[in-house]
Amino acid sequence: MRKLIVTEFISVDGIAEVERLPAVVWNDEMNRFKEEELADSSAMLLGRTTYEIFAGSWPKEAGDFADRFNALPKYIASTSLKALDWKPAELLRGALPEAVTALKQDSGGNIYVHGSLSVAQELLRHGLVDRVRLLSYPGAVGQGKPLFPPGEQMPLELILARPFSNGVVALEYAPVTAKP
């Protein structure tokens, strides 16, 4: 069975809006982290907004990372998109939890949700996320869209914590499922 992994850039106060994050210098440690993610990924799951942002920029990128990233199969959660230009890509049909449950049953490697905050939140709510990978930026931003909505609790088990020299910390968690 495939694992579903949510990967986000986040502030220390939990805001997952990239444009609000403190400025840091992207470094080799962050590159390695993202290279590891790409090597572990067999597909990506994106919401409409993230798909449109990525489709507008990634096909223009060159190099080994961009070539491998662009070649990944893309599953898109959208009710408004009708055509997908960034191939290979497929629109998910029906309710998101059911469509993702079916994807996870397929053979193949792990599926990564990049950004796509509302998609990530819905999948977390339905218990479909196997791992949460975060690049936590050094600073609180005070306002914005949180990854974990206020009032919703989610127990997590820490799998990895790796500080980088630029103040960013790579974190990986597994959601803890309630045991009877």
Side-chain angles (χ1 to χ4, degrees):
M1 184 153 99
R2 300 169 106 172
K3 285 185 182 173
L4 185 73
I5 301 163
V6 167
T7 182
E8 300 281 350
F9 298 106
I10 194 165
S11 64
V12 295
D13 58 344
I15 303 304
E17 289 184 76
V18 173
E19 58 277 0
R20 292 185 182 269
L21 295 176
V24 298
V25 175
W26 191 273
N27 65 16
D28 289 341
E29 296 158 305
M30 292 173 73
N31 269 346
R32 278 192 296 280
F33 184 80
K34 286 303 194 182
E35 283 282 349
E36 290 167 10
E37 275 188 353
L38 183 57
D40 185 55
S41 180
S42 70
M44 62 178 96
L45 172 58
L46 305 170
R48 179 194 53 80
T49 301
T50 304
Y51 171 81
E52 288 177 334
I53 291 167
F54 282 12
S57 62
W58 275 104
K60 299 171 191 162
E61 297 294 323
D64 180 60
F65 186 94
D67 292 346
R68 291 182 291 139
F69 194 76
N70 284 318
L72 283 174
K74 299 148 200 68
Y75 300 103
I76 313 306
S78 173
T79 56
S80 60
L81 286 175
K82 302 300 179 220
L84 302 172
D85 298 327
W86 187 32
K87 306 286 184 189
E90 173 184 331
L91 279 170
L92 293 177
R93 302 286 178 215
L96 182 62
E98 289 78 15
V100 170
T101 298
L103 278 178
K104 288 181 70 173
Q105 300 300 323
D106 287 346
S107 61
N110 297 329
I111 303 167
Y112 276 76
V113 178
H114 295 272
S116 305
L117 194 55
S118 61
V119 170
Q121 289 172 337
E122 185 171 352
L123 297 173
L124 284 162
R125 257 192 314 278
H126 284 90
L128 292 168
V129 175
D130 299 291
R131 292 282 189 274
V132 177
R133 293 184 62 141
L134 306 172
L135 282 177
S136 179
Y137 278 58
V141 297
Q143 64 181 6
K145 295 178 187 172
L147 173 57
F148 302 102
E152 289 188 27
Q153 294 185 1
M154 173 161 297
L156 300 169
E157 176 186 353
L158 181 64
I159 304 296
L160 167 91
R162 186 187 321 162
F164 299 151
S165 60
N166 61 0
V168 172
V169 179
L171 299 162
E172 183 170 347
Y173 295 97
V176 176
T177 55
K179 295 180 180 160

